[in-house]
Amino acid sequence: MEKTITIEGNKFILEEDGVYCGAYLGKMNVWGKATDIVLETEDQSDEIIDKFIEKIAWLNDNKTAVLDVFIDENYDFIEFVNEEYNMEMTEIDFRDALFVENVYIYINGRNSEFSFDLDTEPDYLCGHLANMIISGKYEIEFGGMNG
């Protein structure tokens, strides 16, 4: 495997030890923010790179759909923040605070899926990250809270 690959002008470096050993780490723009991306694949072919780019593009194009799924299952965070911090946060305020902290993409031939963690600024999730899972058919699922 090559030590470095470049995707749309962004360098991804092969990790040789640690948590992401054997995966490529880099950054790309997701929802207007430079975001850590992990790509796990055995192949660096043009087809794999195209699938990777497709997934990042899908994520950028489907922010509203992702947030709809998250908020449908976690509307209680809005009520919690309003009570805990004695404020009047609206759903729009909460949506505007959410961003993608990191993305993990797995591609192995025809099999591909990805997940990512949502965070907020300010920290309305109280130090936690919200994991979202996207199937190979682009079905969105809330995967639970981390941290």
Side-chain angles (χ1 to χ4, degrees):
M1 289 184 18
E2 294 184 38
K3 300 251 184 217
T4 304
I5 56 176
T6 302
I7 303 172
E8 293 192 332
N10 301 287
K11 284 192 177 195
F12 285 76
I13 299 170
L14 181 64
E15 289 294 301
E16 298 189 54
D17 57 12
V19 175
Y20 298 115
C21 183
Y24 290 93
L25 275 62
K27 287 189 180 283
M28 289 187 80
N29 188 0
V30 177
W31 297 0
K33 177 183 176 290
T35 304
D36 292 330
I37 311 283
V38 177
L39 170 60
E40 184 178 340
T41 185
E42 297 279 324
D43 182 9
Q44 299 83 36
S45 69
D46 289 344
E47 180 183 340
I48 297 298
I49 301 304
D50 289 346
K51 281 184 186 180
F52 174 86
I53 292 168
E54 175 186 305
K55 292 185 180 319
I56 297 298
W58 182 93
L59 183 54
N60 279 320
D61 291 342
N62 287 278
K63 179 179 181 177
T64 299
V66 166
L67 294 181
D68 286 347
V69 169
F70 174 72
I71 289 176
D72 283 350
E73 295 195 37
N74 294 282
Y75 196 84
D76 54 335
F77 267 106
I78 297 170
E79 295 166 359
F80 169 78
V81 167
N82 284 335
E83 288 176 18
E84 188 72 20
Y85 298 104
N86 195 27
M87 60 187 295
E88 293 291 324
M89 180 176 64
T90 66
E91 181 179 326
I92 292 169
D93 296 331
F94 190 52
R95 285 175 176 270
D96 289 346
L98 286 157
F99 64 91
V100 176
E101 175 67 24
N102 56 65
V103 180
Y104 178 87
I105 299 175
Y106 170 79
I107 303 174
N108 185 10
R110 291 183 148 179
N111 298 321
S112 67
E113 57 189 35
F114 69 106
S115 65
F116 53 93
D117 291 322
L118 296 176
D119 200 355
T120 59
E121 181 60 44
D123 186 15
Y124 296 138
L125 300 180
C126 303
H128 300 286
L129 298 173
N131 183 253
M132 302 300 290
I133 301 166
I134 312 298
S135 73
K137 296 180 181 179
Y138 294 102
E139 297 165 325
I140 307 166
E141 178 184 334
F142 172 62
M145 300 300 287
N146 300 324

